[in-house]
Each structure stands twice: as structure tokens, then as C-alpha cells.
């Protein structure tokens, strides 16, 4: 690889923006990209010899560092059939090559109907990103491409091939041989490696890469040079200190307040309401007592070595407060104040100062501008929004919004029946950021599933590394706020132009095994389900509904809008269902349960029907659409609790048709007993789809 | 066109399955499809002359009625550059042509980077369907095609071009001239015409049609012959008689029952509960009195000319009952009984007999196997599911499911606050079908918007014709149950192979101006909104929310998942918002209202903020995300009712964050006063998207 480096160094010292075609190919060939045979020719005699060796028809090109896109300037002639044509083209190109200080190449003519494209580009903070897709004019028109960030693993490369819409053409297609996926994958891995090993290479386009007899062969390439950026951080953090945040044995509220409805008062009420069992200290220059607790007049006065400080002071007091805390051995702080870089220039310089102080003192900080964090197993919260006692559960959230530990928690507490383990509001994340919290949750026995709302990634590389590990055994579900479709503006290569931030984030999440959702509401709906039910082992759903229209429309929804299947049951199961039902209904999956319910009562019909489908090896999950109305009778619902107990490995969800008041009381009965319910009939299926994706992330990587 | 017919006739009498290439082109040329220049040649001398006239390079082909897809058999040679190559190819092809009883053609070589495809196929009941899309190998791999059923209008053809994902390549693309859309459109209209005028032509493929200097030029075509099917019915129905169903002055229940909870009893209770003001007769062989009404012992006994009969008898009694009713001048019947073709062979023959009796007597029938219909302006229903008094409103439903006039109505009555005008359960639609009801609703002053659940179209042509008219002034929203992705199995042309039922239905709905939805729940959510609010005039939404995360994630949702825009406000509006707000928030659309709410109170903040955005000419609709919690205060909500009054042309929807009980009471206050609310924050935007599409259907056709 020394030669490669010297090619690059030489080009840079020549002031080149792009590598010559020969150099580009030398670099790419060294990383395993196969190219069409070609020869540099300096005279007609050489050209004739080259063409003779390669065999007609051939391609002739002018290659010059001054030209990034040859086709548009007419510097390629394909299909040269004989010496006659060769001579005419050579004369013309030889002249052009001189003008452009370039060279003339004779190349093998590669024929194949399938044209692909691949490339590499660098994105700020994400590092080298590899692209793959349909080539030719369709690259731009259809935008049918997939990305991954380097380093790629083999399964990433294979997943990219399955991700493009035109993936059909990679298989046996119109009598063509299937593309050698291993070979194609090796090329993609090679591009990732180039990106990691040669920071001066900024963009690469290989377009087209033609498929001949199943083998990919590149016929043109462009390598763009650039100034190496900072290497993205990928230092693994040590999360030991987060214990001080989530399991503090002593806490001090700095800026405690006597006045009701002030943040400095509400935070104390919250801590008390949750039954915090550690030591609670308060600081306020006025001293005295607040809510039965002694108030210290200064930080200096406090005993040494308090685990955690919650600072509820104006932004300007931040740097000084951090120093004072550090001096007292308080090394973990939650900074509630807003008014930093998110507001104005003054706030920005205050923020910079704060970063400096954090670095100097080594104090670890959550925030500023955070609404706090929650840790129910430790009966603790630093939230200053009046929350009261927070329901304990096994769901943990990471949220880059003040919304979460405040009114969204309020909604979860009042509108849903599941509880949370940990919640962290990241605020401006001057110090502690998402990947550290993620690592803490990964090892947290109280956390069964992790939900994330994020607007930006502070260290994408570190995040990816940690997420790759945790998603193998815990579901991680992420809503990305602030999607932008904008591509890079100054891009030379097409790869760079279509690598929008959102596309790359999508790639990172797929690589990380994180399931991306596109509705804020799914942050609760999916949490509710995973909180008490197992993940579905596959995407094969059965459901029981009281109406043919529902059977039809929900099947369409599962298979058309989602990636679920509604498969046939084994014949023995089908027959058992048929035995349950009046004859005039032909029983199958999905299950038309209404006639059975009329004949045998709702309870028996749904109980027996669900048992049959859950016993079937083809079924991974069941949804009960209960019809509840005065006239038809509302059965006791214990049987559903029993079903959940009898089939602990298959999730059971409930939704409704009929009268609102019965739906509400069914929810109030079922949810506290661990059976999730959903007001709209599509919702349980949307959630199953999300959780099935989580599950397949665990298996397929 | 006589010649065209004789070409087809001759081919059929020869027993051909496809037209020869020359004949295909003759037919297509007559309908305006431009082809590459070509000449039939029978000797080398003729071939030389043809190539000289056309100009090298040329294409040579063998054309034979025995071969549908030439390329796969190597019967095309492109890029023939000189007489030498011409001769070699001719010798080879001349021999092959003899073997295949075909001809040799010399054709102009059309070069262009853009390859398109178009075609025609026939679908049962839908008639000729026209296809357009990306050509070459991508037709199959990407399936990027659009369909319309004949006859096409010009705007249909243009819409097809905008519908494909690769539409970019039709415009100025990589320095190429934009495609002549008018010319392309004319070709598509031509294909539709061929389909209508020549029933023996079954399938057409034109692939590729190459774009040269912006002009489409077809270079190959395949015309497949078939046995003409039945012409689909397109007789416009007369809906005058539906008055008897929806506005009957007298009604008889045949099969009235004394026993509570029997259908024959519940239907009487329903009629009474709704305050029906016409005359109500009952028939039961036992006579006597039911619920205070005299019971006739037979149909014969009834007075003459009762408007409507509701028949609640076993299926087997149907034919006889229809005859007896006809004899008594009862010409409109609702048949409740199930047990016809939907059940078994016996039911099927009963159904055939019933069709026969309907035809003989001229009686008009709704059902059988219908759960009935509803007409609140007439205080009437034929539903036998216990419904009680049904809330009157301006939404009308057509439903091909028993689900609708039963438990779905029950849900609407108990879980929503809007009312219905008419509901028709179609049942097995032996007689009355969706298009007749649609026509009645079209002219019904009580119906503001029409929602349809349909599993099949009885007469697609008639439905399309009527829908095209009504969607110009009323929104029509349809959920299609039973989507199937299956293509036609015995297709020869690619066009036919990819024309799945669902694709064609999608085409029909677009042509009809009907908005298709993919969630059953949207049948209520959208109804609620259109019931009391105007349609949005465009897709430009403003919303006010109490959290940055919501602003961000809902903007993403609007622009990423939906077709809504969240545009900038005029600078004057922006400044007015800024004046309202504390300085540290930079106000814009969407509106971050929380700081203002803290400073001025929720009521003032939301009222003034919404006024500003609704006054802005760039905004078509506003959504208020209200934050409701004990601690933050729940304001009186009259101001929202006032806003709706002040801006009668712009819809206002409400959704929530915070505490469940306050959300519920806000809903209970706002909805009966005409302001729709939605429990999940994404829902109002989904509904705006649906209704915006309805509105643009009205304008763009």
C-alpha cells in the first residue's frame, strides 16, 4: 500500500483535485475493484497493438486530470470495430489529449445489460460512507442507492444489495446469470477501507460498473482528493460515573426554592414524591428550611463527596458553580438552566466557557438546558417539571428534547399503563451524550427496551459501535427529529451529491441494528407493547376479528403497508378452528370469529380460537379484535390474561370494535395486567412490525 | 380505419396470435404512434438500397408472427455500419426468416439515452388499460409504471408521466432536451382508442420507445390478438327509485318479530327510536300486535303501493316474497337474509333464482346479506342491529360490509361526535350497486362528503363515469378491501403481466378523482374533520406546539411522510408573532408557542398566534397542539370556537400533549361545537393530507 500512498502524495503535491484515470484505477485495483483491461498508448502503432491484444471492438478514451466527467465532453468512443475506425479516433483523441495534458487509453469493450454504480464520500462526523446502486442515467433519475458508513462488515455489503428497489436485476433476470454478490460485496468493503486508510481521498465514483456473465467489471472511475478532515472520535467512553446520576446515594439541589411552582421547589417535591431514599441536601444563600429540609447557604458549607448536584440557577452562574462543586468533590451535575448556545451569541460564549470549565475540573455534566432525568428503580428524578410519583417499569428513554421528562412523561403517566426505568433529557449535551447513556442502559438490568428521540449525533462512530453491541440483545428504537433532504453542496462525485445527512443516518441506524420509526407516537405505542409482552419471533401474524371487512382490510394493511405476513395455518389447526365454528364460515387465518362468538359466546370463541392459532408453529403473534357493545355483551376478560400466561413466548395484543366506554374499561382492565390494547385497529400491527424488525436485528447480524 | 380492421380480420382468419411487425406498426401508426423508418427487403440489393436511403448505421431484424420477443432469439442486429456488415447479417437473417416464415426488415438506428415503454391490456370488467413507464430492462426490475383505463383524457396522460418515480428523466436531464409531453400524451391517448375501437386487440407492448432530441420514437412493437370479451356495461342508471329507499313514506317489515333481540324485532325498535314519521306496517303469519303496531298476516293483506319493504326472512323465502311484494306494488326491497352465494352451492343457485325474479318483476333490491341502510334526514333505518337513535350529520357512507350499519356505526355514535346522513350496506349487491348509490349521494343536499368501503367494483366503467362528476364538487374517499398483487397469468405482453388488479383500481380511482386511503380508521378520522370544517384550499399547513421536538418531528412527518408543506410566513406575520413572544424564541412557522404561553397565558398565546397564521395568505390550515396539564392550567377553549368562526375558509384542528383527562374533556367540549380533535399528534396531519388531496382533485381535472 506504500505505492498507493505515494500516488496520492504525488497528485497532491502536483496540486491535482482529482487523480488521473490510470492512478485512480491503480488505487482502486489495489483494493480489489476489478477493471476492464486497458492500455496507455502513445502512438498509432501502439494503439493498433493494444487493440489487437485486447480484441475488437474496443473503447478509446482521453484521460486527463482536468476533466472529471469525460462523457459529457465527448472524450470516450465506444464500439471501435476495426483498425480503420481506430485510426480515425486515435488522430482525433491524440490531439485532444495534448490540449488537455492527458493520455489516450485503449480499453476492452465490456458489454452487459446491467449497469451498477458504487462510490465513497466523506460526511462530517460520520467519516467515509460507501454507496451502491443502479448505474447509468438511472443513478440520478431514480436515486435508487444504499449507503453504509465505514468500516463495513460483510453482512452490511450484502444488505445494501437487498436495499435497492431494482434489486431484481442482481438475480437471475431475463435469462441473465445472477450477479456474483460476494465479488460485489468485496468491492464495497474495499471502498470503505480506502476511505479509512486514505483520508486525502474525499470522494470516489465508479460508474458504471458493468455486469458481464455475472461478474462486476468497472469501466470508469473518478477519485477526488481533498484536505483530510479531523478523524471522527471513536473512543469508547467509560460509563461507570453514570451510576452517580442514576443511582446517587446523596443529592444536592443547588438553587433550592421556597416558592411553590418554581423549578427549585418542584424538583424537591418530585424527589420527595418518588420516595428517594438517599440523602438530600439543599443550597440557597438565604438558608433556613424548605419542605422540612435544612438549607445550606453555600456549596462550601456542604459536606464533602455528595454524589450528584442538580443546579437550578441562572445560566450565568454555571461556570462558577461547577468550580465550586468540583472543589467540594461533587463530580456529577445536572444543569437545568437554558440560555446557552441555543439562544444567542452571549449564550454561545457562556457555553464555550462552560465547556472549558468542564474540561478543567473533570466534572461530568448532563445538560445544560435539560429538563432532567429519571431513575425509578432508585426512586429518584432531577426533573423540575411537576411530575409526582413516576410509575416504575422497564422502558428507558434517551431524549434530546425538554419535552420528555416533562409533558410527555405526564402523558405516559396519565394516558398509558406502562412504566419507565430511566429517562435522560440530554439538553445541549455539552458533555454527556447519547452513546454514553446508551452504554449505561445496555448494561442496566432494569432496562428491557431503549427508546431514543435524537436531533443530532454527537459522535456517530462511538454511537454506532455501542449500538451494534446492545441491539444484539435489547431492542433499540429511534425517532430522528430534524430530517433534512439536502445533499452536500460542493460535491464533485455523484456519490457525494446524493449522500444526504438523512440517508447516511439511515445507513448508520441499519448498521447499528436500531429500528427507526417515523411517528413520535410510536415512542409510546411500541413501548407499551414491549414493556409486558415478548418480542415476536417472526413476522407471521394471526388475528381474530368479528367482521369480514376487518379481516380483509387488516390483511391488506399487514402485507401492503407493513412487512408482516398473515400466513396459512397448519391443516390440523385449521380443522380445529373449523370444529369450533358453525359450518357456514370457512375458518382460516385471519380468523372470522363472529359466528363462533354468536354460537358459543365471546369468551369461549376468542379463548379457544386464540389458543389454536398460538399453538400453531406458523404463527408468531396474535391480535384480538374484540367487539364490545351493550347488546352483544361484554365478557369477563380474564381469559386474555390466561392466554398471555399460557403462551409466554408469543405476544398477544388487543384492539376493538364497538362501543367506546367498553373499550376504555377493557383497556383499564387489561393493561395493568400486562396485555397492551390499542384504540385504533391498525396500531397493534404497526407495533408488531416495529418489534419484529427489532427482533430480526438481533438475529441477522 | 377500415384498413386497420381488415388487417386485424385477416390475421385472425389466418389463426395468428400476434400481428406481424409490419401490421403492428401499421395499426399503431394509424393511431399516432411514431416509428423509426424501416423497409421490408427481399434481396441483398433491396437491403443495400434501403440502408443507403435510411443512412448507416442501420438495424436489421427478422419479423415473424411466430416470435413475440425477438431479442431473446437473437433476431435483431443493431449498429450495422456499412455494406459489408449489412451483407453478412442479411445472409444470416434471410435464412432464419425463411425458417420462421418471416421477413427481413432494415430499420433506421435510433439513438437516445432515454428508453420508455408503453402498452395496453384488457382487464375483466375494466376494459382496455393503458400503461406508461421506464423502458429497457428497468420495466421489469423497477416496475416503475402508471396505468389508466380507456378512454383517457389529456390530463390523465399527463398525470401518468408525473406518476412514475423516474419522471426526472422526462425533463431537462443531464443536458438532454425535455421530452415532448404532448407528443407522448398523444401516443397514450392513441393506445386507449385502439383498445376501445378494436376489441380483438388484447395486448400491446411498445418497448422501447426511445427519446431522440425530445421526440419519442418507437422502435419495436408487439400486438397480441384475442377473443373479444363482453363489452363492460356503462349504462347510466336512473337513481330516481332510490328515493323510495332513502325517503320512504311508508315501510313494511316482512318477518316482524315479537321476540326481543331478534332481527325482526330490533329493526322495528330502530325505526321507532329514530322517530320515523311515515307509515309503518308489519307482516307475520301469526298476526296480532308488536310494539303497539298491528301485524298483518300476509303480504296480500297489505294496502297497495307501500314504498319500501324490509324482508327479514330465511334466505329460501326470498324469491316467493319478491313476487308477492311485486304483486302488491312494493317495488323497493331491503333483503336482510344471508345464506346466498357467499355460503355454498345451494345458496348460489338460490341467488341465481333471486336474480331471475328481480329481473322478471322489476323490483329493486338492496342486498341480500345486507345489514341495512340509514337515512337520518328521513329519521329512518332498515338496520336490524340494535342502534337506537342515530346522530344526524352530513357524512354518507357506502359499505360493502355488514360491519358498517352495525358495530362501526355503534363506534361512531359512542366514540366520535360527528353524525351521518346516509349509510348503505351493499351486501351481495345482486341488484343495487355502488355507482347507483354514489349517484344518489351526488345529488343529495344532505351529503357533504362520501366515504366508501368497497371490496369489488360491479361496473367499473359506470362507477368511473359517475365518480368523475361528483368528485368535482364533493370529496369522495375510498378504502378498497381485498387488495391483491397478482398480475394476469396468461399474459403475452409485459404490459399485461404487470397490470395487477390493484394497479388498475388505483388508476380508476385517480381518474375518478377519488382519494384512496389505506387505513380503515381514516374512514372516521377524515369524516370527523370534513363534517364540520372546510376542505383546505392547499397543502400549506401551520401549527402551534409547545415543544421544539414536536415542531421538528411534525414538520418531518408533514413533508417526509405526507404531501403537506410547512411554508415560511410572510415577514409581516412573522414579525407579529415575534412581537407576541419573548425575545429569546425566534418565531416562525411552525410556531413554538410555549414561551408565549408562559408569558401571556395559554389562551392569549394560542388565540393570537393562530389568528396571525390563519391571516397569512401562505397558510391553508392550522393545527393547534394544546398542552394540557393540571400544573400548567387548562384554559377555557371558547377561543378556538371563535377562531373557527372568524376563519370560516381555513380548517382548524386540535391535538394534544399532556394529561389524558384534560384531553378527553377538551374533546368533549370542542367536537360538539365543530372543532375536530385527534388523540395522537400525527392524526390531524394525516387527515389534512387526505382532504387536501380531495380538494386538489376538484381543481385539477
Amino acid at each position: 500500500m506504500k505505492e498507493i500512498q505515494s500516488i496520492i502524495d504525488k497528485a497532491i503535491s502536483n496540486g491535482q483535485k482529482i487523480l488521473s484515470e490510470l492512478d485512480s484505477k491503480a488505487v482502486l485495483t489495489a483494493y480489489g475493484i476489478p477493471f476492464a483491461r486497458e492500455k496507455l498508448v502513445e502512438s498509432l502503432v501502439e494503439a493498433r497493438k493494444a487493440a489487437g491484444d485486447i480484441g475488437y471492438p474496443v473503447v478509446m478514451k482521453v484521460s486527463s486530470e482536468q476533466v472529471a466527467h469525460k462523457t459529457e465532453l465527448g472524450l470516450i468512443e465506444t464500439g471501435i470495430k476495426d483498425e480503420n475506425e481506430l485510426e480515425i479516433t486515435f488522430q482525433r483523441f491524440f490531439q485532444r489529449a495534448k490540449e488537455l495534458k492527458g493520455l489516450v487509453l485503449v480499453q476492452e469493450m465490456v458489454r452487459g445489460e446491467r449497469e451498477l454504480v458504487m462510490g465513497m464520500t466523506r460526511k462530517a462526523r460520520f467519516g467515509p460512507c460507501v454507496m451502491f446502486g443502479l448505474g447509468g442515467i438511472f443513478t440520478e433519475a431514480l436515486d435508487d442507492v444504499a449507503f453504509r458508513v465505514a468500516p463495513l462488515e460483510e453482512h452490511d455489503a450484502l444488505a445494501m444489495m437487498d436495499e435497492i428497489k431494482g434489486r431484481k436485476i442482481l438475480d437471475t433476470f431475463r435469462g441473465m446469470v445472477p450477479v456474483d454478490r460476494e465479488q460485489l460485496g468485496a468491492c464495497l468493503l474495499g471502498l470503505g477501507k480506502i476511505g479509512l486508510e486514505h483520508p486525502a481521498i474525499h470522494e470516489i465514483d465508479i460508474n458504471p460498473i458493468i455486469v458481464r456473465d455475472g461478474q462486476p467489471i468497472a469501466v470508469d472511475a473518478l477519485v477526488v482528493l481533498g484536505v483530510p478532515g479531523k478523524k471522527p472520535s471513536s473512543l469508547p467512553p467509560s460509563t461507570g460515573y453514570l451510576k452517580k446520576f442514576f443511582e446517587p446515594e446523596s443529592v444536592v439541589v443547588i438553587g433550592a426554592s421556597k416558592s411553590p411552582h418554581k423549578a427549585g421547589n418542584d424538583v424537591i417535591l418530585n424527589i420527595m414524591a418518588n420516595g428517594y431514599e438517599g440523602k438530600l441536601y439543599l443550597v440557597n444563600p438565604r438558608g433556613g428550611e424548605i419542605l422540612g429540609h435544612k438549607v445550606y447557604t453555600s456549596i462550601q458549607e456542604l459536606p464533602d463527596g455528595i454524589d450528584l448536584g442538580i443546579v437550578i440557577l441562572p445560566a450565568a452562574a454555571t461556570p462558577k458553580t461547577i468550580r465550586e462543586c468540583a472543589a467540594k468533590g461533587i463530580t456529577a451535575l445536572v444543569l437545568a438552566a437554558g440560555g446557552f448556545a441555543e439562544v444567542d451569541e452571549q449564550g454561545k460564549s457562556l457555553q464555550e466557557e462552560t465547556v472549558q470549565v468542564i474540561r478543567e475540573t473533570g466534572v461530568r455534566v448532563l445538560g445544560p438546558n435539560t429538563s432532567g432525568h429519571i431513575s425509578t428503580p432508585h426512586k429518584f428524578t432531577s426533573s423540575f417539571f411537576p411530575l409526582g410519583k413516576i410509575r416504575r417499569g422497564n422502558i428507558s428513554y434517551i431524549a434530546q428534547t425538554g419535552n420528555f421528562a416533562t409533558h410527555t412523561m405526564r402523558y405516559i403517566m396519565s394516558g398509558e399503563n406502562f412504566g419507565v426505568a430511566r429517562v435522560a433529557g440530554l439538553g445541549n449535551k455539552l458533555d454527556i451524550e447519547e452513546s454514553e447513556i446508551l452504554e449505561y442502559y445496555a448494561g442496566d438490568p432494569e432496562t428491557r427496551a431503549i427508546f431514543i428521540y435524537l436531533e443530532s449525533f454527537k459522535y456517530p462512530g462511538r454511537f454506532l459501535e455501542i449500538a451494534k453491541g446492545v441491539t444484539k440483545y435489547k431492542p433499540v428504537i429511534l425517532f430522528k427529529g430534524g430530517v433534512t433532504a439536502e445533499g452536500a453542496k460542493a460535491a464533485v462525485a455523484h456519490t457525494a451529491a446524493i449522500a444526504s445527512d438523512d440517508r447516511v443516518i439511515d445507513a448508520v441506524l441499519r448498521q447499528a441494528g436500531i429500528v427507526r420509526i417515523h411517528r413520535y407516537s410510536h415512542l409510546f405505542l411500541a413501548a407499551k407493547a414491549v414493556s409486558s409482552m415478548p418480542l415476536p419471533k417472526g413476522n407471521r401474524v394471526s388475528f381474530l376479528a368479528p367482521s369480514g371487512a376487518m379481516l380483509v382490510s387488516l390483511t391488506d394493511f399487514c402485507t401492503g403497508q407493513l412487512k408482516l405476513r398473515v400466513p396459512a395455518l397448519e391443516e390440523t389447526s385449521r380443522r380445529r378452528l373449523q370444529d369450533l365454528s358453525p359450518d357456514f364460515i370457512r375458518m382460516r387465518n385471519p380468523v372470522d370469529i363472529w359466528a363462533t362468538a354468536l354460537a358459543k359466546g365471546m369468551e369461549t370463541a376468542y379463548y379457544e380460537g386464540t389458543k389454536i392459532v398460538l399453538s400453531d408453529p406458523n404463527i408468531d403473534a396474535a391480535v384480538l379484535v374484540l367487539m364490545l357493545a351493550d347488546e352483544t355483551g361484554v365478557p369477563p376478560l380474564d381469559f386474555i390474561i390466561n392466554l398471555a400466561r399460557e403462551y409466554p413466548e408469543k405476544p398477544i395484543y388487543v384492539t376493538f370494535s364497538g362501543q367506546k366506554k367498553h373499550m376504555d374499561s377493557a383497556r383499564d382492565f387489561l393493561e395493568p395486567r400486562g396485555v397492551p390494547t390499542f384504540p385504533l385497529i391498525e396500531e397493534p400491527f404497526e407495533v408488531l412490525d416495529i418489534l419484529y424488525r427489532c427482533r430480526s436485528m438481533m438475529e441477522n447480524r
Side-chain angles (χ1 to χ4, degrees), chain A residues 144-447:
Chain A
D144 190 12
V145 295
F147 277 90
R148 287 295 183 274
V149 301
L152 275 75
E153 295 174 30
E154 237 178 85
H155 69 83
D156 291 321
L158 294 173
M160 290 171 85
M161 300 174 208
D162 283 333
E163 221 169 289
I164 61 166
K165 290 181 224 103
R167 60 185 164 274
K168 261 195 210 170
I169 66 161
L170 300 180
D171 300 322
T172 310
F173 180 73
R174 281 194 165 191
M176 302 173 203
V177 191
V179 177
D180 184 337
R181 287 181 176 234
E182 208 172 308
Q183 182 58 40
L184 211 52
C187 297
L188 297 170
L189 295 186
L191 286 174
K193 262 197 198 148
I194 298 177
L196 292 174
E197 295 175 5
H198 299 287
I201 293 184
H202 231 242
E203 302 172 14
I204 300 173
D205 266 355
I206 306 178
N207 188 9
I209 186 160
I210 293 177
V211 180
R212 181 174 64 187
D213 302 329
Q215 291 304 313
I217 301 171
V219 299
D220 203 4
L222 169 66
V223 174
V224 181
L225 302 171
V227 181
K230 258 202 314 197
K231 225 192 145 197
S233 158
S234 67
L235 203 75
S238 142
T239 55
Y241 71 90
L242 279 176
K243 210 166 173 304
K244 291 205 170 176
F245 284 85
F246 288 108
E247 303 158 54
E249 292 183 6
S250 50
V251 170
V252 55
V253 176
I254 299 161
S257 168
K258 251 194 165 68
S259 319
H261 308 308
K262 289 260 176 187
N265 189 267
D266 278 334
V267 68
I268 305 169
L269 286 173
N270 278 341
I271 291 170
M272 290 167 68
N274 281 280
Y276 177 59
E277 292 165 352
K279 281 183 203 143
L280 176 61
Y281 299 93
L282 307 182
V283 172
N284 185 308
R286 290 184 209 159
E289 212 186 81
I290 299 174
L291 297 163
H293 290 265
K294 174 192 168 183
V295 179
Y296 292 76
T297 57
S298 72
I299 296 170
Q300 287 76 3
E301 233 180 79
L302 288 169
D304 280 347
I306 293 174
D307 275 352
L308 179 70
I310 305 170
V311 183
I312 315 242
L313 293 175
T318 305
K320 184 167 161 280
T321 308
I322 297 176
R323 281 188 212 283
E324 288 179 8
C325 287
K328 266 289 164 189
I330 307 174
T331 57
L333 290 179
V334 177
L335 300 182
F340 289 83
E342 79 279 11
V343 175
D344 54 18
E345 280 305 308
Q346 205 185 331
K348 209 172 155 189
S349 73
L350 185 62
Q351 181 153 321
E352 279 158 21
E353 192 187 343
T354 305
V355 170
Q356 192 53 39
V357 176
I358 291 171
R359 212 170 285 155
E360 280 168 25
T361 57
V363 167
R364 301 301 315 253
V365 161
L366 183 67
N369 195 23
T370 173
S371 52
H373 73 296
I374 297 170
S375 181
T376 57
H378 213 69
K379 304 181 179 177
F380 177 70
T381 179
S382 64
S383 171
F384 57 84
F385 182 92
L387 286 176
K389 181 154 178 62
I390 300 153
R391 199 184 308 118
R392 181 171 174 178
N394 52 20
I395 302 299
S396 291
Y397 287 99
I398 300 173
Q400 190 179 350
T401 159
N403 203 11
F404 229 89
T406 57
H407 41 128
T408 291
M409 273 316 294
R410 166 72 52 179
Y411 169 73
I412 291 175
M413 297 300 108
S414 66
E416 301 289 351
N417 285 295
F418 70 93
V420 297
R422 328 276 183 187
V423 177
L426 296 176
N428 293 8
K429 46 186 187 183
L430 284 205
D431 179 26
I432 296 174
E433 43 73 55
E434 51 277 6
S435 31
E436 297 172 83
I437 311 267
L438 182 61
E439 192 173 34
Y440 178 82
Y441 288 178
D444 176 22
E446 300 284 340
T447 296

Side-chain angles (χ1 to χ4, degrees), chain A residues 31-157:
Chain A
Y31 284 88
I33 319 285
F35 274 89
R37 278 182 299 152
E38 68 177 6
K39 224 167 146 84
L40 167 67
V41 295
E42 293 184 336
S43 66
L44 183 57
V45 176
E46 283 184 24
R48 282 206 188 114
K49 172 146 186 3
D53 290 350
I54 288 168
Y56 288 98
V58 295
V59 174
M60 193 175 281
K61 301 178 178 185
V62 175
S63 157
S64 158
E65 291 97 83
Q66 295 175 21
V67 178
H69 300 289
K70 283 184 279 292
T71 322
E72 288 159 22
L73 293 178
L75 298 176
I76 298 189
E77 188 70 43
T78 63
I80 296 172
K81 289 204 174 168
D82 52 30
E83 293 214 347
N84 217 2
E85 287 181 35
L86 187 78
E87 182 172 347
I88 297 166
T89 312
F90 181 80
Q91 306 300 8
R92 190 156 51 92
F93 278 11
F94 196 62
Q95 192 51 40
R96 295 297 310 274
K98 265 192 208 154
E99 293 160 19
L100 295 164
K101 293 187 183 143
L103 305 164
V104 178
L105 299 175
V106 173
Q107 193 185 53
E108 163 190 28
M109 170 105 181
V110 180
R111 290 199 243 200
E113 279 196 71
R114 293 174 285 185
E115 295 191 1
L116 306 172
V117 63
M118 48 180 71
M120 189 278 290
T121 184
R122 278 170 203 286
K123 297 287 287 183
R125 287 178 302 120
F126 289 91
C129 302
V130 175
M131 186 265 267
F132 169 74
L134 292 184
I137 66 165
F138 291 102
T139 313
E140 277 168 79
L142 293 171
D143 232 17
D144 190 12
V145 295
F147 277 90
R148 287 295 183 274
V149 301
L152 275 75
E153 295 174 30
E154 237 178 85
H155 69 83
D156 291 321

